[in-house]
Amino acid sequence: MAEAILLIILGYAAVGAGFGVPFLLRGIDRIDPAARGSPWTFRLLILPGVIALWPVLARRWRRAPRPEGAP
Amino acid sequence: MTRAQRRWHAAIWLLLAPVILYLLIAALTARPAVWAPPSMDPAADPGADPGADPGAGAAAHETADHVEDRP
Amino acid sequence: MSVGYVTVQWNRHKRVYDSLVGGGVALYLALFIIAGKTLYTGAHAISDEILAIRALGTCAYLMLHVVLCTGPLARLDRRFLPLLYNRRHLGVATFLVALAHATIAIGFYHGFGNVNPFISLLTSNVNLGSLSAFPFQLLGLAALLILFLMAATSHDFWLKNLGAPAWKRLHMVVYLAYALLVLHVALGILQTQRSPWLAGLVGAGVVIVAGLHVVAGLRERGHDRRGAQRTARVNGPWVDVGCVDDVPDRRGMTATVGGGERIALFRYDGCISATTNVCAHQGGPLGEGRIIDGCVTCPWHGWQYRPGDGQSPPPFTERIATHRVRVVGRRIQVDPTPLAPGTAVTPARIEEDHHG
């Protein structure tokens, strides 16, 4: 039981970390114009929150308008 | 704060304050008159392996040594 | 205000604030450890790890009290506003101190076996039915998770991208964390440390935090009730909300009309303007702010709006709702129906009777 809980939490966080890297490199600029050109320290600072709340951001990223010139 | 937020704050505290105080008093009055760590009391854990009692094991070992050392 | 995010929005006030918090934490920990080493010697000596666990735990618990009291104190007395201004940094510091407490505690009590420390934490005590032997550590862990979520989402990026209402709701879960921590303390250390002083301090903390919230809430309710009796007397939308002499120059005043959101009135350059009282940032009470550089300035975090149209000065893009306003004799009358955020409204001139 305890092992299962720990595994679920670790799995969720691992997916969050996997999502976090491309999100902080590209996705964040798509969902929030104010993040364009923001320093990498800012992106690192919000990484723990991205790992914790990745489903919310993933949904926003999917719904974000495509940038000009994208297929 | 918006009107809704003010109402939420009031509702939460009117509900939470008595609950916290009740639980705090319950926890304080539940303290036994003379406190002993719960894990040290074998009666509190009937499923425990009696062989795991470090005191009993040490006593048996001591007796055996004593017998062997007897001239 | 959001134009481009910076890592930490430091200014002089926040640097002083953060230095005081950092210095205060260091001083508290040092005094606690020195006192612990001096008072408990010989057979009663406490190990370094346990002393550190207790110092960090009590420090975080105390800091959470300050964080929780800041909101109602600032609503009751303006002099506490500087505490509120940078409360988020205090909240993040509280989480970091609590995290240090938990890390040492889990390492010390669960880290020396061959079982994963977290598995050990979750499985070593399952006396959920007992009060005196309750696994109080789990309550602390749950509270730490809440504090983590709050610290991790404290940047303005989250406020904007989760939306202010959802963000505020998420951060109100801190009250649940506080309840969990009171029980963590009551079922943990208070079970072994029997001093009535310690139990009294924990009880006093609860009474102060809950009492301040209830008192501030009652005061707000009184304000809303008086406003609910205020309705339009004659045909048309205009509602009398007070005298121009009630509003100090370059300052604001708050009025409640009917059951709507509060309205903030500002006096500047011989005019009166009205906007919503709710700041677009975190819902700060704009009517308690002042006019700085020609802009309404929120007393909480300094967000600014032009009083005439509720728009933040460029390059900022925030907007708040405005209200139509007129001055009849010395009386201020507003239309309680808010206009769309950013709508320009002609300010009402004070000098002469104005029936527009």
Side-chain angles (χ1 to χ4, degrees):
Chain A
M1 177 67 179
E3 283 91 345
I5 294 173
L6 196 66
L7 260 179
I8 290 171
I9 294 172
L10 285 177
Y12 178 87
V15 175
F19 166 83
V21 174
F23 174 78
L24 290 179
L25 289 176
R26 292 187 289 117
I28 190 171
D29 302 334
R30 289 265 304 281
I31 71 160
D32 188 347
R36 283 175 201 155
S38 57
W40 64 270
T41 43
F42 155 73
R43 290 162 196 247
L44 213 57
L45 192 73
I46 65 165
L47 180 61
V50 174
I51 291 173
L53 296 175
W54 63 265
V56 181
L57 298 170
R59 206 178 62 187
R60 287 208 56 173
W61 191 2
R62 216 177 54 229
R63 290 180 181 177
R66 298 225 157 257
E68 285 167 35
Chain B
M1 285 191 286
T2 61
R3 196 178 164 79
Q5 282 167 352
R6 282 198 301 275
R7 289 191 168 177
W8 267 107
H9 266 84
I12 285 173
W13 278 103
L14 285 175
L15 192 78
L16 204 59
V19 172
I20 298 180
L21 277 173
Y22 171 77
L23 289 172
L24 177 63
I25 292 165
L28 290 176
T29 48
R31 299 189 293 190
V34 176
W35 193 87
S39 58
M40 299 290 277
D41 179 7
D45 193 4
D49 174 14
D53 184 350
H61 189 234
E62 200 173 277
T63 314
D65 283 350
H66 183 67
V67 172
E68 271 174 29
D69 291 349
R70 192 177 288 172
Chain C
M1 293 186 277
S2 51
V3 176
Y5 294 119
V6 291
T7 312
V8 183
Q9 218 161 27
W10 265 311
N11 54 31
R12 195 181 159 273
H13 179 101
K14 289 190 181 185
R15 280 183 201 282
V16 171
Y17 192 111
D18 290 353
S19 311
L20 286 174
V21 171
V25 168
L27 187 70
Y28 177 88
L29 295 178
L31 287 177
F32 193 101
I33 287 169
I34 290 169
K37 287 272 175 207
T38 320
L39 292 174
Y40 297 95
T41 50
H44 298 288
I46 304 172
S47 77
D48 290 344
E49 290 90 345
I50 292 180
L51 206 53
I53 290 168
R54 290 184 181 173
L56 290 162
T58 52
C59 184
Y61 191 65
L62 206 65
M63 289 166 81
L64 187 62
H65 278 80
V66 178
V67 170
L68 290 177
C69 290
T70 301
L73 278 175
R75 275 190 278 159
L76 291 169
D77 192 326
R78 296 183 56 86
R79 280 172 294 181
F80 290 99
L81 277 173
L83 266 181
L84 188 79
Y85 179 60
N86 201 18
R87 182 169 53 168
R88 271 189 274 178
H89 287 195
L90 186 58
V92 173
T94 304
F95 163 69
L96 292 175
V97 174
L99 181 67
H101 161 81
T103 307
I104 300 178
I106 292 173
F108 185 66
Y109 291 112
H110 300 276
F112 295 115
N114 48 13
V115 179
N116 178 302
F118 285 98
I119 300 286
S120 165
L121 177 70
L122 292 173
T123 54
S124 60
N125 180 356
V126 286
N127 286 316
L128 290 168
S130 156
L131 272 181
S132 56
F134 193 87
F136 66 95
Q137 299 90 339
L138 297 183
L139 301 171
L141 185 68
L144 187 70
L145 280 177
I146 294 175
L147 293 185
F148 162 72
L149 259 186
M150 296 184 55
T153 58
S154 68
H155 198 280
D156 269 348
F157 167 81
W158 294 104
L159 183 64
K160 185 177 169 198
N161 285 284
L162 295 177
W167 188 86
K168 200 81 194 170
R169 273 200 295 277
L170 174 70
H171 283 237
M172 272 160 78
V173 183
V174 72
Y175 300 142
L176 176 64
Y178 178 66
L180 290 168
L181 285 174
V182 172
L183 289 178
H184 173 71
V185 170
L187 297 172
I189 193 76
L190 289 187
Q191 297 294 321
T192 50
Q193 300 288 314
R194 312 298 296 269
S195 156
W197 281 103
L198 214 54
L201 274 176
V202 172
V206 174
V207 170
I208 290 172
V209 169
L212 279 172
H213 277 91
V214 170
V215 169
L218 285 177
R219 214 168 99 157
E220 301 279 2
R221 203 175 85 155
H223 197 294
D224 282 342
R225 284 208 163 166
R226 283 191 295 280
Q229 294 160 1
R230 205 181 267 144
T231 46
R233 263 180 257 150
V234 285
N235 291 339
W238 301 106
V239 179
D240 184 294
V241 288
C243 178
V244 288
D245 302 313
D246 296 341
V247 194
D249 194 33
R250 312 194 83 74
R251 288 264 190 174
M253 186 183 94
T254 312
T256 309
V257 180
E261 287 295 353
R262 290 178 184 172
I263 299 168
L265 302 157
F266 299 95
R267 181 175 178 169
Y268 61 99
D269 302 339
C271 293
I272 296 279
S273 276
T275 68
T276 175
N277 190 48
V278 183
C279 178
H281 180 215
Q282 283 191 41
L286 293 172
E288 294 167 30
R290 355 171 142 197
I291 302 283
I292 299 174
D293 299 329
C295 286
V296 172
T297 306
C298 180
W300 280 10
H301 303 94
W303 280 39
Q304 292 191 307
Y305 311 91
R306 291 191 299 242
D309 59 8
Q311 298 191 19
S312 290
F316 302 106
T317 53
E318 282 74 22
R319 291 164 176 211
I320 52 169
T322 50
H323 285 268
R324 293 201 297 149
V325 62
R326 68 180 187 181
V327 174
V328 179
R330 303 298 288 173
R331 305 298 299 177
I332 305 169
Q333 297 182 345
V334 294
D335 176 354
T337 311
L339 301 169
T343 306
V345 174
T346 314
R349 288 220 70 84
I350 294 174
E351 283 81 6
E352 53 194 324
D353 283 2
H354 185 83
H355 297 278

